[in-house]
Amino acid sequence: MYESLLQKINENCNNIDTDIVKKAHDLACDAHKNQKRESGEPYITHPIDVAEILAEMGMDTSTIVAGLLHDVIEDTDYTYDDIKNIFNEEIAYLVQGVTKLGKIEYKTKEEQQADNVRKMLLAMAKDIRVIIIKLADRLHNLRTLKYMPKEKQKQKAKETLDIYAPLAHRLGISKIKWELEDLAFRYLHEEEYYDLVKQIAEKRVERETYISEIIEDLHNKLEESEIDSDIDGRPKHFYSIYKKMVNKNKSIEQIFDLTAIRILVNTVKDCYGVLGIVHTIYKPIPGRFKDYIAMPKPNMYQSLHTTVIGPQGKTFEIQIRTFEMHKTAEYGIAAHWKYKEGDTQEDKEKSFENKLAWLRDMLEWQKETSDAEEFIEGFKIDLFTDEIFVFTPKGVVINLPSKATPIDFAYRIHTDIGNRCVGAKVNGKIVPLDYSLKTGEIVEVLTSKNAKGPNMDWLSMAKSNQAKSKIRQWFKKIKKEENIDKGKEIFEKELKKQGVIYSEIAKGEAYDKLVKRYNIHSMEDLYAAIGVGQIAASSYISKLKEENIVEKQSIETVNKSIDDHITKAEKSNNNRKSTSNDYGVTVKGVNNLMVRFAKCCNPVPGDEILGYITKGRGISVHRTDCSNLKALIDYDDGKVVEVSWGASKGTAYVAEMQVRAEDRIGILSDIMTIITEAKLPLNALNAKSSKGNIAVINIKVKIDSIEQLKELMRKIRRLKGVMDVYRMNN
């Protein structure tokens, strides 16, 4: 594998220090030597493959080395300082950047996900190579996703389509974007994926013959015009076809560009020359021509696109670009390392500033957005929205999100223009401020020195996060006094509603984090932020209340309660004999403590059990073999207390089991008969049929002891067709 990596480096990269690469390879091999992947392969195969993907992209020495080491800090004993001392600070930062970035997973709390994305944006802003390494890491993980459980496959696939593929698109790295999308599509919509593959395969030979004839025809015409070109047929990626079918409600026969013909030439002049020749041979379809050379996409993509009617009346797409444009289309921001080695440092920095302007805008508005759901949605919109291109009266091209309004245009020109906007003209005619702009229109903003500034309706009219952020800033600054009064009223009402005294909760780690995030230095700042809608008073108070009030009732309170009970028990009875609580469970020989059974393992008398002190909810009782308990102990074993079954009788305990059996007629009836004969109350029953004619039946019954459960399971296991009976953990 290392030889393959070196070959990729020699083919694609410039000025790579292979001695440092070898050093990183050897360290990674040693660090991961005892680790295996889900596939059973040695773990080192993953970082080497990630480094190979980075080498194919033509990245620099530090990035390839960081690719080899990207899991070392996270998964082994090596630290940031170790990597810094062995290599250098730049490589250590890249490795740590990917480690901190971690896995952007969808949690039940939207805010946790929003925080992860914010961390990623900050890491990208400091060094864009962090996300390039992460994209290579994600790509290899998706290539080997078949070894993961089904649930994990779907989670990773959704995460990829929501976060990583849009990032690759925004960075212009189409080579990675398309593969990420197709792989994620395969696992997220398996049935649709294979159905589409089948439909496309059925007419592949016919389509390829058709395209070959067109390529030959084009090649002859371009040779006659003495234009050097490289022409090939590029099949459309499955996910892009699927999206068009779903979004536009079309069948596969109605999709114009299942295959696109790509023509590469040497100069921009040749691009337009080829376009003229194409339009003389084939009839263009109106409204299907796009000039991304004159108006490049923000991700640096340049090309001419036209859809034409070919022989037999069939439509197809033609893309025309220079060889240099093609490299940028494939590698995007990575082309900075691959093809710009001759540029001066000043040129590189200036080029980078322009290419990453969108990232600065995104960082700017995210500071203003506290609502997690709004932030994540805005993040996705900014990354992967369709775009329009409009003109200023002087002919400057401005790109905006699809359905943008004159308000978005005004704020894109300048904040002052937006704040003083009183109207707009499109193609010389006055339009309302909520008018949806279209590509090619000339937009003029009408301003006034006496303008009162934006109103709250503008927030719903604006489509770009940049405009929304600047409107909020205006309200925050200009109407601070009004916002303070409004925010104070909302805040005090919410405090009263939740029954909280603010001075009692405005402390602790959670409070420090919140005031730092929202830049709150005084109560006026807090009221103003609530008044303008930057902070929701209810969620702000709830967070502090949860972290502080509940914390007060946690370990110390419960421990003190236990100690007090033990002291009283020892004074009254040296033998420490006690009555168990209503649940028939004794905590260290003490009664009357709040006890609840963990639903993850449903302990019953006869099971070996332990107690775990929870925040404000007393003692949670788990079976000793419960995986959740093991995780809790690993997190903090100081909260574990000894518990035992008391002598209480007549208490019913819920136990859950799963039956796997042949899906035959009467199996459910036979099981119910056994439960009825055992005179056990049935709490719940759920049955479903799975692949291979297997019935999976989940049963919850109320029992007095583990012996009752074992006897019930034995009887069910003897039934005809029953393969096994398990006791369940949730």
Side-chain angles (χ1 to χ4, degrees), residues 662-729:
E662 178 190 336
D663 193 3
R664 64 172 176 82
I665 295 171
I667 184 66
L668 206 55
S669 173
D670 292 346
I671 291 171
M672 290 296 294
T673 300
I674 289 174
I675 295 171
T676 305
E677 287 175 354
K679 297 182 180 177
L680 296 175
L682 182 67
N683 189 264
L685 186 143
N686 178 274
K688 62 181 179 180
S689 182
S690 63
K691 288 181 182 178
N693 198 37
I694 304 295
V696 179
I697 305 159
N698 282 45
I699 304 164
K700 285 185 182 179
V701 290
K702 290 184 177 179
I703 56 169
D704 295 329
S705 67
I706 191 69
E707 284 72 26
Q708 270 189 332
L709 181 63
K710 285 179 179 177
E711 180 60 25
L712 179 64
M713 290 169 72
R714 269 197 297 272
K715 287 180 179 177
I716 293 173
R717 199 174 277 117
R718 292 191 197 116
L719 287 173
K720 179 186 173 185
V722 171
M723 298 168 188
D724 211 342
V725 184
Y726 305 89
R727 183 158 175 207
M728 293 290 290
N729 283 349

Side-chain angles (χ1 to χ4, degrees), residues 114-129:
D115 279 345
N116 278 333
V117 176
R118 281 188 171 102
K119 283 180 190 174
M120 181 180 68
L121 288 174
L122 291 170
M124 287 167 63
K126 192 166 180 183
D127 197 323
I128 199 72
R129 290 174 296 178

Side-chain angles (χ1 to χ4, degrees), residues 517-704:
R517 175 189 285 182
Y518 299 122
N519 201 24
I520 297 168
H521 302 292
S522 65
M523 288 304 293
E524 284 193 347
D525 287 343
L526 176 61
Y527 295 149
I530 292 170
V532 80
Q534 184 185 350
I535 296 176
S538 56
S539 61
Y540 179 82
I541 293 167
S542 296
K543 277 179 197 168
L544 296 181
K545 185 178 168 186
E546 183 185 338
E547 290 293 329
N548 289 276
I549 294 178
V550 172
E551 186 65 34
K552 239 190 268 179
Q553 301 171 350
S554 64
I555 307 167
E556 293 80 7
T557 309
V558 180
N559 274 336
K560 188 174 183 302
S561 174
I562 291 172
D563 291 340
D564 289 346
H565 278 293
I566 290 173
T567 305
K568 288 175 187 174
E570 284 175 342
K571 282 180 182 176
S572 63
N573 186 352
N574 289 331
N575 293 325
R576 299 177 69 186
K577 291 178 182 175
S578 64
T579 309
S580 59
N581 52 37
D582 291 341
Y583 288 96
V585 170
T586 300
V587 182
K588 284 190 178 179
V590 180
N591 63 341
N592 295 328
L593 281 178
M594 187 166 71
V595 170
R596 64 186 183 86
F597 291 113
K599 292 184 179 179
C600 53
C601 55
N602 289 323
V604 299
D607 285 329
E608 291 184 20
I609 52 175
L610 278 173
Y612 191 83
I613 301 168
T614 62
K615 286 186 179 182
R617 299 171 72 189
I619 308 295
S620 177
V621 178
H622 294 257
R623 285 169 23 204
T624 53
D625 62 350
C626 175
S627 58
N628 281 353
L629 176 65
K630 289 173 184 174
L632 290 169
I633 292 171
D634 287 342
Y635 178 69
D636 188 351
D637 60 4
K639 296 183 184 178
V640 177
V641 292
E642 291 179 18
V643 293
S644 58
W645 294 104
S648 124
K649 292 185 179 178
T651 305
Y653 301 87
V654 175
E656 184 176 5
M657 56 185 168
Q658 184 176 95
V659 181
R660 296 180 70 83
E662 178 190 336
D663 193 3
R664 64 172 176 82
I665 295 171
I667 184 66
L668 206 55
S669 173
D670 292 346
I671 291 171
M672 290 296 294
T673 300
I674 289 174
I675 295 171
T676 305
E677 287 175 354
K679 297 182 180 177
L680 296 175
L682 182 67
N683 189 264
L685 186 143
N686 178 274
K688 62 181 179 180
S689 182
S690 63
K691 288 181 182 178
N693 198 37
I694 304 295
V696 179
I697 305 159
N698 282 45
I699 304 164
K700 285 185 182 179
V701 290
K702 290 184 177 179
I703 56 169
D704 295 329

